[in-house]
Amino acid sequence: MSASNDIDDSAAPLIEHLAELRTRLIHSVIAFIIGMIICFTVWNPIFNFLTHPLCSAMAERGQEDCGLILIKLQEGFFVAISISLLGGLVLGFPYISYQMWRFVAPGLYKNEKGAFLPFLISSPLMFFIGAAFAFYVVTPLAFDFFLGFQQAGTLIGEGDAEGGGIAAIAFQGSAQEYLSLTIKFIVAFGLCFQLPVLLTLMGKAGLVSAEGLSNVRKYAVVGILLLAALVTPPDVITQVILFVVVYGLYEVSIFLVRRVEAKREAKLRAEGYYDDEDDLIAEFDDEDAK
């Protein structure tokens, strides 16, 4: 009988946590759906805003017509749906983050709340900074590179004596393909800008150290180069920009992790867990061993 009561007592908190999780998920889904419906009603202005880099690049080349075509009958509907999904996530993200915090916060100590909350705030901020950088800096360069493969053709009867001519190559882009490429850039750079937040959080948890990150710097350079080659188009300028930005974020991450370690060490010294004399003895032993 006692064992049965123990099982019931241990199962009750789990059921309460699951009920709380279900409530938070329902609220998050409702917020996402509301944001999606709002964006669906104004998807045309959003699409016009997203096509601004393309229209600007075409205008600089003297191409006034900035139209995109629908290859499939249902493509326009799916363009509106894609914009609605992205917009719903953007509009609903603050409320969704709040629901995540309300679910996690009761299980954290006061000092843990103070450590976790800044990362919860900085993560969406860094994502939006990366997305803005991709939209206003990277996509204009990428689209200008792609549009450079166009060529003007000759009219009928203007060829050489043998009747030859030059075939025109003109851009007639698919609306859905263009939107997919633009969202790819925005999401990729937004995720890349999460690097300082992720590494600093891992450093605070003791999973990585500033010294360890510095020692693997050469491997990080190779990884960033591969990332730049995969995410960006085959344009050297865009790849260099992404490499410089992400590598700069990596160096910033090392600096932030070093600051976290310094604060942790200062706290241990203040609480008496860190002995300077033991450190000096260890250093002298290491020198004698050498």
Side-chain angles (χ1 to χ4, degrees):
M1 190 64 145
S2 177
S4 177
N5 292 334
D6 292 341
I7 293 175
D8 292 338
D9 292 339
S10 62
L14 177 60
I15 295 175
E16 292 177 1
H17 285 306
L18 291 176
E20 177 72 11
L21 177 60
R22 182 189 63 181
T23 302
R24 300 301 173 190
L25 289 176
I26 291 175
H27 287 178
S28 299
V29 171
I30 292 174
F32 172 73
I33 293 175
I34 293 175
M36 182 177 172
I37 293 174
I38 293 174
C39 292
F40 186 81
T41 59
V42 293
W43 73 269
N44 288 102
I46 297 175
F47 182 77
N48 295 337
F49 173 76
L50 292 176
T51 55
H52 180 71
L54 175 64
C55 294
S56 298
M58 295 182 70
E60 291 178 359
R61 293 178 172 272
Q63 299 175 245
E64 300 298 333
D65 187 9
C66 185
L68 295 171
I69 63 174
L70 300 176
I71 298 178
K72 300 177 182 178
L73 182 62
Q74 71 276 17
E75 187 172 329
F77 173 75
F78 286 111
V79 167
I81 292 296
S82 299
I83 293 176
S84 302
L85 290 173
L86 178 64
L89 182 61
V90 171
L91 292 181
F93 188 80
Y95 186 77
I96 294 172
S97 300
Y98 173 73
Q99 293 298 320
M100 292 172 56
W101 172 251
R102 288 290 303 272
F103 177 73
V104 175
L108 300 177
Y109 293 105
K110 185 177 181 180
N111 60 336
E112 292 175 336
K113 292 181 181 179
F116 183 74
L117 186 59
F119 294 98
L120 188 64
I121 297 174
S122 60
S123 180
L125 177 63
M126 291 300 294
F127 182 88
F128 285 123
I129 293 175
F133 179 81
F135 184 77
Y136 290 106
V137 178
V138 178
T139 51
L141 294 173
F143 297 155
D144 184 68
F145 170 79
F146 289 135
L147 292 173
F149 291 94
Q150 299 179 102
Q151 72 175 17
T154 57
L155 298 176
I156 298 177
E158 290 186 356
D160 53 26
E162 298 179 358
I166 300 176
I169 301 177
F171 172 70
Q172 290 184 335
S174 163
Q176 190 170 11
E177 289 295 329
Y178 170 80
L179 183 64
S180 174
L181 181 62
T182 304
I183 292 177
K184 176 184 176 183
F185 276 119
I186 292 174
V187 173
F189 275 82
L191 292 178
C192 288
F193 272 64
Q194 298 294 310
L195 186 63
V197 179
L198 177 62
L199 291 181
T200 305
L201 184 60
M202 293 176 66
K204 203 169 187 64
L207 300 177
V208 297
S209 64
E211 182 181 359
L213 293 175
S214 300
N215 293 335
V216 299
R217 185 180 279 112
K218 57 183 178 181
Y219 301 107
V221 169
V222 176
I224 295 171
L225 286 173
L226 292 175
L227 176 67
L230 293 174
V231 173
T232 59
D235 177 12
V236 177
I237 297 178
T238 309
Q239 292 176 354
V240 170
I241 291 175
L242 179 60
F243 171 78
V244 171
V245 170
V246 177
Y247 182 74
L249 293 174
Y250 186 81
E251 292 294 335
V252 170
S253 302
I254 295 177
F255 172 75
L256 293 176
V257 172
R258 187 174 287 114
R259 285 193 58 187
V260 168
E261 292 174 346
K263 289 182 179 180
R264 185 189 298 126
E265 181 179 332
K267 182 179 179 181
L268 292 175
R269 290 180 189 277
E271 295 177 353
Y273 293 106
Y274 203 98
D275 194 351
D276 292 335
E277 294 182 359
D278 293 340
D279 292 341
L280 293 175
I281 295 173
E283 290 180 3
F284 284 130
D285 291 341
D286 292 339
E287 292 179 357
D288 292 340
K290 294 179 180 178

